[in-house]
Amino acid sequence: MATAKKKIIIDTDPGIDDAMAIFVALQSPEVEVIGLTTIYGNVYTTLATRNALHLLEVAGRTDIPVAEGSHVTITKGTKLRIADFVHGADGLGNQNFPPPKGKPIEQSAATFLIEQANLYPGEVTVVALGPLTNIALALEQDPTFSKKIGQIVLLGGAFSVNGNVNPAAEANIFGDPDAADIVFTSGADVLAIGINVTHQVVLTDADRDKLVQSNGRFAQYLSRILEVYFAYHREAYFTRGVYLHDPTTIIAALNPSLLTFTEGVVRVQTTGITRGLTILYNGQKR
Ligand SMILES: O=c1[nH]cnc2c1ncn2[C@@H]1O[C@H](CO)[C@@H](O)[C@H]1O
């Protein structure tokens, strides 16, 4: 008997590694992508929505709805830190892709998340690849969301290692630390993939050469957009390869047995020079 596919909603700020992650999800028989919701981070939210629609058109999956998310942080902050220096001004490696034909649905990301969680209680996994504003908004709008959502698998945090924005903070948590703390303290089932994990998952120059030679479904498209991401990593990290942050997070949602996890309580520092710091208490001390 075929087992039911896991339903996932990807909350995303595409983003080169987001594009890779979305394609992985669309190619994975274990899951059904029931929607994309968008957020600022690698790009502003308006561009994230445009890129999400574009990626679904590239994949031939315009049946999947896109719900636009928040343009500001949970505290209505508008001074956003956008990582265009990582992904290019267009978020997809400066490739001048034509604008998408499709449009986002009328519902906001938070409303869509709540609706889907109500429709399939306990069955929907949210994979959050950007700052956590939309998820926190859903938790604020519907206090039962934490119990109705199946699992929240998120890319965020730097657990016992330095951040990538500054020594304290990882980019997604830094993007909206208040939202992140709401999510971590909500009581929902949260699986956090920090950069202490994703910095171990590298696509090397040699891997990229294989991609360039490949006739695989998304190989040529990804080879093109990856150029800018490789250039950034060479410059910033002196590596001949790129970190697969978002793809690793999708993999964790698809098949958590490929990773090892520590269970504990997480809080997020929301003020001061360590704003965005994630602290994990692993319960070792009684
Ligand atoms: O140095 C950086 N600054 C800001 N964002 C970054 C940097 N490196 C990677 N990312 C982006 O932030 C998420 C992981 O923290 C990923 O989406 C990655 O593409």
Side-chain angles (χ1 to χ4, degrees), residues 17 42 81 83 85-87 164 170-171 229 232 237 245-246:
D17 58 328
N42 297 324
R81 181 182 180 276
F85 52 92
V86 181
H87 300 271
N164 56 0
E170 178 277 331
Y229 202 49
Y232 172 73
Y237 297 101
H245 304 283
D246 294 337

